[in-house]
Amino acid sequence: MSFEFQCHRCGQVHKGMPRLGPDVPDSYHEVSAAEQAARCTLSADDCVIDRTWFFVRGALEIPVAFEDEAFAWLVWVSLNESDYKAWRAARDLPRRAPPGPFRGWLNTRLPGYPDTLNLETRLHLRDRGRRPLVEVAPTGHPLALEQQDGIAAGRVVQLYTLTVHGAP
């Protein structure tokens, strides 16, 4: 059975496990709108700023109790230039076995958590065109603990509501 819930804020029934996240890394907002076209290269999968800062979009998956599918944050991870180039070389291959994992830093602030910017991560490539898996380094941060231990369905609903509708 597929995950679904009725949102108490909008009244709609939402079907399927949510996959939420911004379309750009947080650092993209530090570049003025007038300069973004000249200084940034942006796609759905990666972003380069000033040919110096390299970001890849991945899925930070959190297991959900009694559900077959994980909840996913679509987040941005900063990589060093050599790891970014290795990711680019492997991203269109049907089989993406090593390279990686790549050490990176979360470049996405997520609602419902203490500040998530710059949490240490590992970016794992996956086959068949799937987004890379983002693993938060083990710490006491609530995001790392939830990725390790999982969450209840009610927490998914809470995160969805907060992300889509904002704080009450």
Side-chain angles (χ1 to χ4, degrees):
M1 181 177 192
S2 179
F3 182 80
E4 68 177 54
F5 66 96
Q6 183 169 8
C7 180
H8 71 277
R9 296 280 291 278
C10 67
Q12 293 183 13
V13 174
H14 299 286
K15 297 183 180 201
M17 190 59 69
R19 296 175 64 80
L20 304 169
D23 293 332
V24 299
D26 270 35
S27 293
Y28 186 83
H29 298 295
E30 295 174 14
V31 178
S32 73
E35 295 179 323
Q36 286 172 347
R39 295 178 51 198
C40 303
T41 303
L42 175 68
S43 78
D45 299 316
D46 66 326
C47 178
V48 177
I49 300 174
D50 294 330
R51 296 184 185 136
T52 303
W53 304 100
F54 305 92
F55 305 94
V56 172
R57 195 172 191 202
L60 193 160
E61 296 178 354
I62 300 175
V64 180
F66 308 109
E67 297 292 333
D68 295 331
E69 190 177 357
F71 167 74
W73 287 111
L74 299 180
V75 298
W76 293 87
V77 173
S78 66
L79 298 177
N80 65 43
E81 185 174 9
S82 63
D83 286 349
Y84 174 77
K85 287 179 178 180
W87 170 81
R88 283 203 47 105
R91 76 177 180 170
D92 294 325
L93 299 174
R95 299 207 44 93
R96 297 178 177 173
F102 302 113
R103 183 178 184 210
W105 306 97
L106 201 59
N107 197 256
T108 304
R109 287 185 174 91
L110 297 174
Y113 298 94
D115 194 10
T116 56
L117 197 63
N118 294 320
L119 287 177
E120 185 178 350
T121 62
R122 299 284 181 271
L123 187 78
H124 301 267
L125 298 184
R126 300 192 280 189
D127 290 339
R128 295 181 291 283
R130 293 175 61 205
R131 285 202 183 279
L133 177 68
V134 176
E135 174 189 12
V136 178
T139 65
H141 192 281
L143 182 60
L145 296 173
E146 285 185 352
Q147 189 175 41
Q148 173 188 310
D149 300 334
I151 58 176
R155 176 72 170 144
V156 174
V157 174
Q158 177 190 39
L159 293 170
Y160 177 91
T161 303
L162 188 57
T163 303
V164 173
H165 298 296

